[in-house]
Amino acid sequence: KCFTLAGLKDKSGVTEQEVVVNGVSPLRLLAQNQVLGLSGSLVGNLEYTSKPLKYGEHGGNHFTVLLRHISHRSKESVFDLVKGLERSGFVNYFGHQRFGNTAASMMPSIEVGKHLSKQDWSAALYATMRAPISACNPDEIKAKQLFEETKDAQAALKWMPQYCHDERVLLDSLKRGMSHKEAVLSMPHARMFKLAYWSRVWNIVASERVRMYGVDQPVEGDLVFDVGNVSDTDNILSPSHLSSFTREGRSTWRFGGHDAVSAPEIRTVTADDVKQKRYSITDVVLPVVDGDVFAVYPSHKVTKALKRLIKADGMIQVLKEGEKSRQRCAFRPLISRARNVSCRLVHYNDRDTDLNDLDDVPYRTEGSVTGSGKWTALQLSFILPPSCYATMLLREIMKLSTHPSDQFRLRLQLEAEEDKQSGLKWQSRLKTLMENRLQFQESQQWSPTQGQKKKRPRDRKDSEPGSMSKVSPKPNSQ
């Protein structure tokens, strides 16, 4: 508990993050760079502070993202697409990171999370250890098949690859004689699996809201975030803060940390509100339901769709148990918008050129073009509120799946086409890429007694604004 931070960072990006450390001297922290530097991490920008960080306390995340292989279209159409997205926003879905989806992991996190929420420990265990149809490493399939056939945890553990973190901890717990409940709860990501299930529920309900009523404006029965008389809206208009509502009476949910008169509220849109256009689509929120919060529902057909879904999954009883004692409500905005959006097109000939090393070329909000060559990349810079997923914004631009496995296949296809048109031996290049991927998987070393694992190569930058000590490879980019 020496370290506190405002949120998790994406391991597939080059990131900066503020971390507050208690009880460790600055010299000792800086000395760690000799070790951390080998794995791609550095500590710097140290300063003293009087209090720790709290989860969700940051004001947002700043991203710089490079999209290669942009199709041949006019620069004006690309810039118009980006600026249009800035104006209209995007559906605030939970991204694939929320579900633990990677190119390597075959963990059925949503199904495991459902069983954990229902406290069906054996079902959660067997869902975790179910053999996948395919896997990056055939040893994963062999280990899980062995466990399914013999229930021998020790034998299965010998075959389980190192990157299967949770499975290895589970098997190790079973080997030491723990019960099914103790074993599944010992998994490092057990809580994240539960959140994955309920996040999927929210995503489905958001799709139903968009399908039924569109995204042009609020409709009667919607729940909206009413700022009221609060002037400092920048500190509350973020998804992570919308879980701080407490129930007052039967129909009032006030935001914590403000007096009763000026506190923001969650309100139900009336017919008069729609007529007077009191709220916009960005004010609309949907409930985040799970077994730990008091569920609040919209007053229209979306609620029926939500209740059908949780009933089909056998979750009605989970929500009812202890409902009267819960005082906290959780909401998530239906639409999210990026701030400070800027972009530029970069032309290049050589795929191995570091296109991120262009800090001397200015961004412009109206878009800019630099370089020359037959290939085109789009570089984006933007800020999102906490708990918003850049992959969901990128999906709206690319109109493609942002799942890592899909993007990896697309990368192989497009780079092979580059090599082919450049007269290179693209078959050899494909083989090299596959070999590099296998080497990366082997580098993900981890075991229950080995707390550290190597960092993977990174290709995206983001940072969290603030003023605490920073884990950073360079000075604050804000």
Side-chain angles (χ1 to χ4, degrees), residues 229-366:
N229 298 322
V230 177
S231 58
D232 189 13
T233 57
D234 287 340
N235 289 330
I236 59 176
L237 289 177
S238 65
S240 62
H241 285 130
L242 296 189
S243 62
S244 299
F245 281 78
T246 54
R247 182 160 54 125
E248 297 181 4
R250 293 182 58 84
S251 59
T252 303
W253 304 276
R254 293 192 181 277
F255 181 79
H258 297 266
D259 60 76
V261 176
S262 63
E265 295 180 359
I266 297 295
R267 296 182 180 274
T268 301
V269 175
T270 64
D272 185 61
D273 291 331
V274 176
K275 184 177 180 181
Q276 299 296 327
K277 297 183 178 180
R278 290 193 177 97
Y279 303 105
S280 69
I281 190 63
T282 55
D283 297 320
V284 175
V285 296
L286 290 174
V288 179
V289 297
D290 63 39
D292 299 323
V293 299
F294 178 82
V296 180
Y297 303 105
S299 301
H300 50 45
K301 295 180 181 179
V302 171
T303 296
K304 293 182 179 179
L306 170 58
K307 291 186 175 180
R308 279 199 306 269
L309 175 61
I310 58 180
K311 182 179 180 180
D313 286 343
M315 289 295 180
I316 294 294
Q317 191 60 32
V318 173
L319 296 182
K320 285 185 176 180
E321 290 177 356
E323 184 178 39
K324 294 182 179 179
S325 63
R326 300 174 193 145
Q327 295 297 314
R328 187 175 67 86
C329 311
F331 305 92
R332 182 176 176 86
L334 174 65
I335 300 295
S336 182
R337 283 179 176 166
R339 296 186 288 116
N340 296 10
V341 177
S342 59
C343 61
R344 61 187 173 193
L345 289 174
V346 183
H347 299 294
Y348 63 99
N349 282 316
D350 186 354
R351 178 179 61 248
D352 296 325
T353 302
D354 185 1
L355 300 182
N356 284 310
D357 190 19
L358 294 169
D359 292 338
D360 58 326
V361 181
Y363 282 97
R364 290 206 297 268
T365 55
E366 68 273 16

Side-chain angles (χ1 to χ4, degrees), residues 107 128-129 139 143-144 153-176 183 186-188 444-450:
M107 168 72 73
T128 302
M129 294 304 299
D139 287 347
K144 292 184 175 181
Q154 185 171 357
L157 185 60
K158 293 179 180 179
W159 285 98
M160 191 65 70
Q162 294 291 336
Y163 68 80
C164 296
H165 308 164
D166 291 277
E167 292 95 325
R168 290 187 62 84
V169 172
L170 185 150
L171 290 172
D172 185 69
S173 299
L174 292 176
K175 186 182 72 171
R176 291 186 282 116
S186 70
M187 291 190 295
Q444 302 299 288
Q445 298 294 324
W446 190 93
S447 69
T449 58
Q450 180 184 353

